[in-house]
Amino acid sequence: MLRGLYTAASGMVAQQRRHDTITNNIANLNTPGFKGSNAVNRSFPDMLISVMGGANPKEGSIGKLSTGVFAEENLMQLTQGDLQQTYRNQDLALVSDMLVDGVNFDESGKSIDANGQVTYKPQAFFSVLSTNGAEEYTRDGSFKTAADGTLLTADGLSVVGANGQPIVVNVSWDQVSVSGDGRLLDKSTGQPLAGNPQLRIMRVDNPYLLVRQGDGLFRYAGDPAGIRQIAAGDRVDVRQGYLERSNVDAAQSSVDLMAALRAYEANQKVIQTYDRSLEKAVNEIGRV
């Protein structure tokens, strides 16, 4: 009987974590470039009750028994967010539709071949310098300019140029035009600005190897060969005067939030039922 209590309790914890993930998504509905997350629930490792039929639990006399559910991880949703026009020259948005030869991706940006090999759709990110000087990545292009002309993120981090150094613009941004590949040009002449500045836009082959750092920043934790600066033909476009909105679906998040609440209540009632049964066993049957 106690196994049922543990199973229901683990279900409550899993739904609580799912609830936390959804509320975080909703809280960032208006955060530029925010990528929502999905809570992934999986069963605990199977408990082997009998191995009389061999090493495979399915061949045993009883089989396998799961001991509940576990909120194992949160997976990002890396779909493109809608663009919102701001008419502000320092607001930049990335539109990427990168392809991999011979691979067709589904709507979530994933492809599974006949052998079960998973391929993820590459994504593009702006490169910035974190407070400790490490290179990190973001989709939030709501930039601003420091007094010395350094291009900064909304949180004051330096935006990195193609040369690996912070971008410095010594003219008014009213005179700056940003090309589709991230080059900063003089709006009146169409010529590059002094120093030929260009945004450092990175292609990440497997964006699920990015680790959230908070404030819309990501750290890459994969093989260095899996990340590089974009090249010609990568199908990445920079849009000036736009911001990428959060890709969170408000309506679906509301439905998921209610589903998590109902599942939590169901597990709670299971625990209450077990509690009443144990009470009867102790107070009534125990007297006999």
Side-chain angles (χ1 to χ4, degrees):
M1 180 178 291
L2 292 179
R3 185 181 297 119
L5 279 173
Y6 299 144
T7 300
S10 69
M12 291 179 68
V13 172
Q15 295 305 322
Q16 181 179 2
R17 292 180 179 175
R18 181 186 177 199
H19 182 277
D20 292 343
T21 299
I22 299 169
T23 53
N24 182 64
N25 288 343
I26 294 175
N28 285 280
L29 275 172
N30 295 319
T31 301
F34 179 79
K35 301 301 179 184
S37 298
N38 284 329
V40 178
N41 296 336
R42 297 179 181 173
S43 63
F44 281 133
D46 296 330
M47 181 183 294
L48 186 59
I49 302 300
S50 172
V51 292
M52 293 178 59
N56 188 347
K58 294 182 179 179
E59 299 175 358
S61 59
I62 297 179
K64 60 180 182 178
L65 177 66
S66 179
T67 55
V69 69
F70 176 58
E72 186 174 33
E73 58 183 336
N74 290 333
L75 293 180
M76 286 188 294
Q77 306 169 24
L78 291 165
T79 53
Q80 175 79 43
D82 297 331
L83 297 190
Q84 178 181 9
Q85 190 168 15
T86 64
Y87 301 100
R88 182 174 175 270
N89 285 341
Q90 289 164 288
D91 285 343
L92 305 174
L94 289 177
V95 178
S96 67
D97 185 23
M98 287 183 275
L99 305 177
V100 176
D101 291 341
V103 178
N104 294 319
F105 297 103
D106 58 21
E107 293 182 357
S108 67
K110 181 174 66 174
S111 176
I112 304 177
D113 63 19
N115 298 321
Q117 182 68 32
V118 180
T119 303
Y120 297 102
K121 188 171 187 176
Q123 297 291 336
F125 293 84
F126 295 112
S127 176
V128 302
L129 289 179
S130 66
T131 53
N132 60 6
E135 188 173 5
E136 295 182 348
Y137 311 99
T138 183
R139 293 280 292 206
D140 184 356
S142 54
F143 300 141
K144 61 183 181 181
T145 307
D148 62 354
T150 303
L151 189 62
L152 307 174
T153 67
D155 295 317
L157 302 180
S158 297
V159 180
V160 180
N163 59 0
Q165 300 298 317
I167 292 178
V168 179
V169 178
N170 293 319
V171 299
S172 170
W173 266 86
D174 292 335
Q175 305 173 27
V176 177
S177 169
V178 181
S179 65
D181 60 357
R183 291 179 293 119
L184 275 59
L185 311 173
D186 187 307
K187 184 178 293 186
S188 59
T189 65
Q191 297 300 312
L193 297 179
N196 196 24
Q198 182 177 4
L199 294 167
R200 180 174 168 85
I201 303 170
M202 304 301 291
R203 168 184 169 134
V204 183
D205 289 337
N206 183 357
Y208 291 99
L209 294 176
L210 293 169
V211 180
R212 288 188 190 270
Q213 299 297 100
D215 298 323
L217 297 174
F218 300 91
R219 173 178 56 84
Y220 183 67
D223 186 341
I227 183 171
R228 62 169 173 79
Q229 195 165 328
I230 62 169
D234 272 338
R235 295 166 58 101
V236 177
D237 190 31
V238 180
R239 302 284 180 87
Q240 186 178 18
Y242 290 84
L243 286 177
E244 181 185 3
R245 300 178 61 185
S246 165
N247 67 352
V248 175
D249 186 331
Q252 185 61 50
S253 294
S254 299
V255 172
D256 293 342
L257 194 66
M258 186 61 66
L261 175 61
R262 296 302 184 194
Y264 185 92
E265 291 176 343
N267 282 288
Q268 185 181 41
K269 290 181 179 180
V270 169
I271 290 180
Q272 291 173 344
T273 301
Y274 272 112
D275 181 62
R276 288 194 294 269
S277 299
L278 288 172
E279 182 182 6
K280 286 182 177 293
V282 172
N283 295 334
E284 296 181 15
I285 300 177
R287 294 174 183 171
V288 178

